[in-house]
């Protein structure tokens, strides 16, 4: 998901109503140009307590100055910036600046969106990110366009949240994984409410359930488990694989030649002990991989695991008895040096 | 792709070890689990997770056999599907060693296996032949029978 960065150029148009250079607004503008934002803020606050408060440009400049200092802990300055732009528009009786002010508002609001992305991807602050994203939606509707269609943005954002939860799953201890997976599913389902044919959301949900199915089996403590627990975990694993299937098949319909989808379907059917469908997807995956296996064998002829894969491929999926025999002999030699 | 099937089979084989009683003379020394088949899959899983662990006071040793003549005294012998054609012969050779013969073959129990892995629905299950167990002088715990998909008396 991309950050949207706007660089706004503020050009203060001099009006003839007062001597600009001697005005608070003029001073604030000079200070702003000199990047002395704190002093510019003081000057522009003096301006709105003077006769200059009746000039839309004063409020526009105030918005721009406050927007520039609204970083980090001073994010509330962004609200002041927005209030200033709104006021600037209100007192712009001729409508001369309306388009420009709307741009300022849009560029200010997009910072909430950018914050949402940064908080999500760089800082892992999921709740703060969503708060910022919701402010962006709410204020955009209120201040810019009540009827704006956010579907595409929502899809991108919620998919990004789902993906970040999936990334986090990889780095937490096993007992915390499923809670994060549930969150990933929750956000991917939000995407599907907007577009049931979104590839990423379907794929992510399928992967989450597939991984859950695998973990129900892989995380069983080998020496502590009872027969009852083994049977129960197999049941849970089966349920998870079955839940994955409709999402993965939808992803497959959307991207029929996607290897990652085929691998996930292969894994599900393998876990479900469905040999016919497992081999169907294994074959598709092997068609993607065979070149890599052969190339690997050329560069690393002693890679025993790679040779095992070649034997498997030529005996089970891309059947070639001659090749199978060749690699079986190589495997035998490697296993019995 | 994680080999979930082999993980489940290895787990079952370990639990079989805890729920079968061997004759007194087999309750000392190493507890040998043999795999007649390729080194990947079940053997690899057993070797990785159970080698060096124990059943009672016996240390688990995992062995891999690639030919019938390599097969030696084992408490449990898992015969992979590609070696199922040897089941009948193995029944004869393992009977005096009180080996729990485990297969994964349709009709495995009639070919001499005591436990046979089957797929029912989407799950890996097992069936038991108590008569074959008796011939090998093995006592199957009630729990193992109760949770089996099928029991041949």
């Amino acid at each position: 998901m991309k950050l949207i960065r706007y660089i706004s150029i503020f050009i203060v148009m001099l009006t003839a109503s007062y001597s600009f250079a001697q005005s608070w607004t003029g001073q604030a503008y000079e200070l702003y140009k000199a990047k002395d934002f704190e002093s510019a803020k003081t000057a522009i606050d003096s301006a709105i307590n003077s006769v200059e408060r009746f000039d839309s440009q004063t409020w526009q400049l105030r918005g721009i100055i406050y927007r520039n200092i609204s970083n980090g802990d001073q994010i509330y300055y962004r609200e002041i910036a927005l209030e200033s732009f709104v006021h600037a528009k209100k007192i712009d009786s001729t409508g001369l600046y309306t388009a420009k002010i709307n741009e300022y508002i849009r560029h200010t609001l997009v910072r909430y969106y950018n914050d949402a992305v940064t908080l999500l991807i760089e800082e892992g602050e999921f709740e703060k990110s969503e708060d910022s994203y919701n402010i962006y939606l709410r204020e955009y509707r209120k201040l810019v366009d009540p009827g704006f269609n956010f579907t595409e943005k929502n899809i991108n954002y919620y998919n990004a949240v789902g993906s970040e939860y999936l990334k986090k799953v990889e780095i937490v201890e096993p007992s915390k994984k499923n809670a994060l997976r549930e969150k990933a599913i929750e956000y991917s389902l939000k995407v599907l409410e907007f577009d049931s044919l979104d590839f990423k959301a379907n794929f992510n949900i399928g992967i989450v359930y597939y991984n859950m199915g695998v973990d129900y089996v892989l995380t069983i403590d080998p020496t502590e488990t009872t027969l009852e627990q083994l049977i129960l975990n197999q049941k849970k694993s089966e349920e998870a694989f079955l839940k994955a299937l409709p999402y993965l098949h939808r992803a497959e319909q959307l991207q029929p030649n996607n290897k990652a989808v085929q691998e996930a379907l292969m894994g599900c059917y393998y876990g479900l002990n469905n040999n016919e469908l497992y081999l169907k997807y294994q074959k598709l995956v092997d068609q993607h991989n065979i070149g890599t296996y052969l190339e690997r064998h050329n560069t690393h002829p002693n890679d025993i695991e790679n040779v095992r894969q070649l034997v498997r491929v030529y005996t089970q999926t891309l059947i070639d008895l001659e090749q199978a025999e060749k690699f079986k002999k190589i495997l035998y030699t490697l296993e019995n040096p | 792709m994680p080999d979930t099937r082999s993980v489940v089979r290895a787990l079952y084989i370990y639990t079989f070890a805890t729920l079968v009683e061997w004759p007194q003379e087999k309750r000392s020394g190493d507890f040998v689990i043999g795999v007649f088949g390729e080194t990947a899959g079940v053997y690899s899983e057993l070797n990785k997770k159970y080698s060096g662990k124990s059943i009672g006071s016996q240390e688990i040793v995992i062995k891999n056999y690639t030919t019938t003549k390599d097969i030696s005294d084992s408490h449990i012998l898992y015969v992979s599907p590609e070696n199922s054609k040897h089941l009948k012969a193995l029944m004869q050779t393992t009977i005096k060693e009180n080996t729990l013969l485990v297969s994964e073959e349709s009709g495995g129990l009639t070919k001499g296996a005591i436990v046979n892995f089957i797929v029912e629905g989407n799950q890996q299950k097992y069936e038991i032949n108590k008569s074959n167990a008796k011939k090998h002088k093995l006592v199957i715990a009630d729990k193992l029978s109760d949770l089996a998909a099928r029991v041949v008396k």
Side-chain angles (χ1 to χ4, degrees), chain A residues 62-288:
Chain A
R62 185 171 187 254
I64 286 166
I65 290 168
Y66 270 89
R67 189 175 69 188
N68 261 285
I69 54 176
S70 66
N71 296 318
D73 295 337
Q74 294 168 318
I75 199 160
Y76 59 90
Y77 283 163
R78 192 179 294 160
E79 292 168 24
I80 297 174
L82 283 169
E83 284 166 15
S84 300
F85 290 133
V86 169
H87 192 75
K89 197 156 76 167
K90 191 174 153 191
I91 63 172
D92 174 28
S93 54
T94 60
L96 183 66
Y97 301 111
T98 303
K100 183 180 278 292
I101 295 169
N102 281 341
E103 273 305 288
Y104 292 149
I105 290 173
R106 260 196 290 273
H107 294 178
T108 308
L109 285 174
V110 88
R111 292 181 178 212
Y112 287 108
Y113 179 81
N114 288 343
D115 283 353
V117 177
T118 305
L119 285 162
L120 178 70
I121 291 171
E122 292 177 18
E123 297 174 30
E125 292 278 3
F126 290 83
E127 284 178 19
K128 285 183 184 172
S129 167
E130 196 168 3
D131 286 346
S132 192
Y133 184 67
N134 286 333
I135 291 172
Y136 168 71
L137 297 184
R138 186 188 67 222
E139 295 299 314
Y140 199 97
R141 286 192 182 109
K142 191 170 97 185
L143 302 177
V144 181
D145 181 359
F148 189 82
N149 184 350
F150 282 103
T151 299
E152 194 183 338
K153 259 206 163 49
N154 283 333
I155 287 172
N156 287 338
Y157 178 72
Y158 293 129
N159 260 336
V161 177
S163 295
E164 288 304 309
Y165 272 115
L166 277 183
K167 279 187 203 165
K168 207 174 168 186
V169 168
E170 301 303 317
I171 54 170
V172 298
E173 57 186 85
S175 63
K176 292 179 179 167
K177 285 183 189 292
N178 276 359
L180 293 171
R181 284 172 174 153
E182 294 295 344
K183 295 297 281 184
I185 290 171
E186 178 189 328
Y187 283 91
S188 297
L189 286 173
K190 278 190 183 194
V191 173
L192 295 184
E193 282 174 22
F194 293 108
D195 179 7
S196 64
L197 297 179
D198 183 83
F199 172 80
K200 193 169 185 180
N202 277 297
F203 179 67
N204 278 351
I205 295 174
I207 284 292
V208 168
Y209 281 127
Y210 164 70
N211 285 333
M212 286 167 95
V214 168
D215 274 3
Y216 279 125
V217 171
L218 293 191
T219 56
I220 299 174
D221 185 331
T223 52
E224 293 294 319
T225 196
T226 62
L227 193 54
E228 291 92 336
Q229 281 171 330
L230 169 55
I231 292 167
L232 183 67
N233 274 41
Q234 251 203 111
K235 180 75 187 154
K236 286 181 181 173
S237 174
E238 178 196 11
E239 285 168 0
F241 286 138
L242 289 172
K243 280 183 185 172
L245 288 179
Y247 296 102
L248 290 174
H249 279 302
R250 201 169 299 143
E252 183 192 25
Q253 283 169 352
L254 295 162
Q255 291 189 16
N257 201 33
N258 186 302
K259 187 177 135 188
V261 176
Q262 291 165 352
E263 281 174 329
L265 282 163
M266 175 183 83
C268 282
Y269 285 117
Y270 186 80
L272 288 168
N273 295 289
N274 184 329
N275 266 347
E276 189 185 343
L277 288 171
Y278 154 65
L279 284 172
K280 174 188 165 184
Y281 287 101
Q282 177 75 71
K283 187 174 181 177
L284 293 171
V285 171
D286 285 343
Q287 281 167 346
H288 286 287

